[in-house]
PDB file of all heavy atoms in Angstrom:
ATOM      1  N   ALA M   8      -3.348  11.686   2.742  1.00 98.00           N
ATOM      2  CA  ALA M   8      -3.101  11.622   4.186  1.00 98.00           C
ATOM      3  C   ALA M   8      -3.271  12.993   4.837  1.00 98.00           C
ATOM      4  O   ALA M   8      -3.916  13.114   5.891  1.00 98.00           O
ATOM      5  CB  ALA M   8      -1.704  11.067   4.458  1.00 98.00           C
ATOM      6  N   LEU M   9      -2.699  14.033   4.242  1.00 98.00           N
ATOM      7  CA  LEU M   9      -2.834  15.380   4.792  1.00 98.00           C
ATOM      8  C   LEU M   9      -4.292  15.836   4.779  1.00 98.00           C
ATOM      9  O   LEU M   9      -4.766  16.437   5.745  1.00 98.00           O
ATOM     10  CB  LEU M   9      -1.965  16.372   4.014  1.00 98.00           C
ATOM     11  CG  LEU M   9      -0.477  16.354   4.316  1.00 98.00           C
ATOM     12  CD1 LEU M   9       0.289  17.149   3.265  1.00 98.00           C
ATOM     13  CD2 LEU M   9      -0.198  16.910   5.707  1.00 98.00           C
ATOM     14  N   SER M  10      -4.995  15.536   3.698  1.00 98.00           N
ATOM     15  CA  SER M  10      -6.399  15.952   3.589  1.00 98.00           C
ATOM     16  C   SER M  10      -7.259  15.256   4.638  1.00 98.00           C
ATOM     17  O   SER M  10      -8.091  15.900   5.297  1.00 98.00           O
ATOM     18  CB  SER M  10      -6.934  15.647   2.183  1.00 98.00           C
ATOM     19  OG  SER M  10      -6.214  16.379   1.219  1.00 98.00           O
ATOM     20  N   CYS M  11      -7.073  13.951   4.805  1.00 98.00           N
ATOM     21  CA  CYS M  11      -7.844  13.205   5.809  1.00 98.00           C
ATOM     22  C   CYS M  11      -7.489  13.650   7.221  1.00 98.00           C
ATOM     23  O   CYS M  11      -8.384  13.820   8.063  1.00 98.00           O
ATOM     24  CB  CYS M  11      -7.598  11.705   5.660  1.00 98.00           C
ATOM     25  SG  CYS M  11      -8.366  11.002   4.211  1.00 98.00           S
ATOM     26  N   ASN M  12      -6.201  13.847   7.481  1.00 98.00           N
ATOM     27  CA  ASN M  12      -5.781  14.277   8.813  1.00 98.00           C
ATOM     28  C   ASN M  12      -6.333  15.661   9.141  1.00 98.00           C
ATOM     29  O   ASN M  12      -6.783  15.907  10.261  1.00 98.00           O
ATOM     30  CB  ASN M  12      -4.251  14.264   8.919  1.00 98.00           C
ATOM     31  CG  ASN M  12      -3.790  14.391  10.347  1.00 98.00           C
ATOM     32  OD1 ASN M  12      -4.031  13.520  11.172  1.00 98.00           O
ATOM     33  ND2 ASN M  12      -3.129  15.499  10.652  1.00 98.00           N
ATOM     34  N   ALA M  13      -6.313  16.548   8.153  1.00 98.00           N
ATOM     35  CA  ALA M  13      -6.865  17.894   8.369  1.00 98.00           C
ATOM     36  C   ALA M  13      -8.361  17.822   8.655  1.00 98.00           C
ATOM     37  O   ALA M  13      -8.859  18.520   9.545  1.00 98.00           O
ATOM     38  CB  ALA M  13      -6.589  18.771   7.147  1.00 98.00           C
ATOM     39  N   ALA M  14      -9.065  16.976   7.920  1.00 98.00           N
ATOM     40  CA  ALA M  14     -10.505  16.828   8.166  1.00 98.00           C
ATOM     41  C   ALA M  14     -10.756  16.285   9.576  1.00 98.00           C
ATOM     42  O   ALA M  14     -11.677  16.746  10.271  1.00 98.00           O
ATOM     43  CB  ALA M  14     -11.120  15.903   7.120  1.00 98.00           C
ATOM     44  N   LEU M  15      -9.935  15.349  10.013  1.00 98.00           N
ATOM     45  CA  LEU M  15     -10.068  14.811  11.370  1.00 98.00           C
ATOM     46  C   LEU M  15      -9.807  15.895  12.414  1.00 98.00           C
ATOM     47  O   LEU M  15     -10.505  15.982  13.424  1.00 98.00           O
ATOM     48  CB  LEU M  15      -9.116  13.627  11.569  1.00 98.00           C
ATOM     49  CG  LEU M  15      -9.171  12.927  12.921  1.00 98.00           C
ATOM     50  CD1 LEU M  15     -10.568  12.379  13.199  1.00 98.00           C
ATOM     51  CD2 LEU M  15      -8.135  11.817  12.969  1.00 98.00           C
ATOM     52  N   GLN M  16      -8.809  16.752  12.158  1.00 98.00           N
ATOM     53  CA  GLN M  16      -8.535  17.840  13.090  1.00 98.00           C
ATOM     54  C   GLN M  16      -9.696  18.822  13.166  1.00 98.00           C
ATOM     55  O   GLN M  16     -10.013  19.320  14.249  1.00 98.00           O
ATOM     56  CB  GLN M  16      -7.252  18.578  12.691  1.00 98.00           C
ATOM     57  CG  GLN M  16      -6.028  17.910  13.231  1.00 98.00           C
ATOM     58  CD  GLN M  16      -4.772  18.714  12.970  1.00 98.00           C
ATOM     59  OE1 GLN M  16      -3.859  18.210  12.371  1.00 98.00           O
ATOM     60  NE2 GLN M  16      -4.733  19.942  13.422  1.00 98.00           N
ATOM     61  N   VAL M  17     -10.335  19.096  12.044  1.00 98.00           N
ATOM     62  CA  VAL M  17     -11.502  19.985  12.056  1.00 98.00           C
ATOM     63  C   VAL M  17     -12.615  19.346  12.884  1.00 98.00           C
ATOM     64  O   VAL M  17     -13.268  20.026  13.688  1.00 98.00           O
ATOM     65  CB  VAL M  17     -11.973  20.300  10.617  1.00 98.00           C
ATOM     66  CG1 VAL M  17     -13.356  20.942  10.614  1.00 98.00           C
ATOM     67  CG2 VAL M  17     -10.965  21.208   9.923  1.00 98.00           C
ATOM     68  N   LEU M  18     -12.812  18.042  12.722  1.00 98.00           N
ATOM     69  CA  LEU M  18     -13.828  17.356  13.511  1.00 98.00           C
ATOM     70  C   LEU M  18     -13.517  17.423  15.007  1.00 98.00           C
ATOM     71  O   LEU M  18     -14.388  17.779  15.819  1.00 98.00           O
ATOM     72  CB  LEU M  18     -13.944  15.893  13.069  1.00 98.00           C
ATOM     73  CG  LEU M  18     -14.875  15.018  13.914  1.00 98.00           C
ATOM     74  CD1 LEU M  18     -16.308  15.529  13.862  1.00 98.00           C
ATOM     75  CD2 LEU M  18     -14.777  13.572  13.472  1.00 98.00           C
ATOM     76  N   VAL M  19     -12.271  17.120  15.377  1.00 97.00           N
ATOM     77  CA  VAL M  19     -11.889  17.145  16.797  1.00 97.00           C
ATOM     78  C   VAL M  19     -12.013  18.558  17.357  1.00 97.00           C
ATOM     79  O   VAL M  19     -12.518  18.755  18.467  1.00 97.00           O
ATOM     80  CB  VAL M  19     -10.458  16.581  16.992  1.00 97.00           C
ATOM     81  CG1 VAL M  19      -9.948  16.849  18.401  1.00 97.00           C
ATOM     82  CG2 VAL M  19     -10.441  15.094  16.692  1.00 97.00           C
ATOM     83  N   SER M  20     -11.595  19.554  16.597  1.00 97.00           N
ATOM     84  CA  SER M  20     -11.705  20.935  17.057  1.00 97.00           C
ATOM     85  C   SER M  20     -13.171  21.341  17.204  1.00 97.00           C
ATOM     86  O   SER M  20     -13.531  22.058  18.143  1.00 97.00           O
ATOM     87  CB  SER M  20     -10.986  21.881  16.099  1.00 97.00           C
ATOM     88  OG  SER M  20     -10.953  23.180  16.627  1.00 97.00           O
ATOM     89  N   SER M  21     -14.014  20.874  16.311  1.00 97.00           N
ATOM     90  CA  SER M  21     -15.445  21.168  16.410  1.00 97.00           C
ATOM     91  C   SER M  21     -16.049  20.511  17.646  1.00 97.00           C
ATOM     92  O   SER M  21     -16.876  21.114  18.331  1.00 97.00           O
ATOM     93  CB  SER M  21     -16.171  20.681  15.152  1.00 97.00           C
ATOM     94  OG  SER M  21     -15.697  21.366  14.017  1.00 97.00           O
ATOM     95  N   LEU M  22     -15.631  19.280  17.927  1.00 97.00           N
ATOM     96  CA  LEU M  22     -16.112  18.602  19.136  1.00 97.00           C
ATOM     97  C   LEU M  22     -15.630  19.332  20.394  1.00 97.00           C
ATOM     98  O   LEU M  22     -16.386  19.477  21.360  1.00 97.00           O
ATOM     99  CB  LEU M  22     -15.642  17.145  19.146  1.00 97.00           C
ATOM    100  CG  LEU M  22     -16.293  16.246  18.099  1.00 97.00           C
ATOM    101  CD1 LEU M  22     -15.598  14.884  18.056  1.00 97.00           C
ATOM    102  CD2 LEU M  22     -17.778  16.098  18.350  1.00 97.00           C
ATOM    103  N   LEU M  23     -14.375  19.803  20.363  1.00 95.00           N
ATOM    104  CA  LEU M  23     -13.864  20.587  21.496  1.00 95.00           C
ATOM    105  C   LEU M  23     -14.683  21.859  21.667  1.00 95.00           C
ATOM    106  O   LEU M  23     -15.030  22.245  22.783  1.00 95.00           O
ATOM    107  CB  LEU M  23     -12.380  20.919  21.294  1.00 95.00           C
ATOM    108  CG  LEU M  23     -11.739  21.806  22.356  1.00 95.00           C
ATOM    109  CD1 LEU M  23     -11.808  21.158  23.741  1.00 95.00           C
ATOM    110  CD2 LEU M  23     -10.288  22.109  21.972  1.00 95.00           C
ATOM    111  N   GLY M  24     -14.997  22.517  20.555  1.00 95.00           N
ATOM    112  CA  GLY M  24     -15.817  23.726  20.620  1.00 95.00           C
ATOM    113  C   GLY M  24     -17.187  23.442  21.217  1.00 95.00           C
ATOM    114  O   GLY M  24     -17.715  24.247  21.998  1.00 95.00           O
ATOM    115  N   THR M  25     -17.756  22.308  20.888  1.00 95.00           N
ATOM    116  CA  THR M  25     -19.040  21.919  21.467  1.00 95.00           C
ATOM    117  C   THR M  25     -18.902  21.681  22.960  1.00 95.00           C
ATOM    118  O   THR M  25     -19.734  22.125  23.761  1.00 95.00           O
ATOM    119  CB  THR M  25     -19.582  20.657  20.767  1.00 95.00           C
ATOM    120  OG1 THR M  25     -19.690  20.927  19.360  1.00 95.00           O
ATOM    121  CG2 THR M  25     -20.933  20.258  21.313  1.00 95.00           C
TER     122      THR M  25
END
Side-chain angles (χ1 to χ4, degrees):
L9 283 167
S10 298
C11 288
N12 193 65
L15 182 59
Q16 275 186 237
V17 167
L18 174 62
V19 169
S20 187
S21 297
L22 291 171
L23 176 60
T25 303

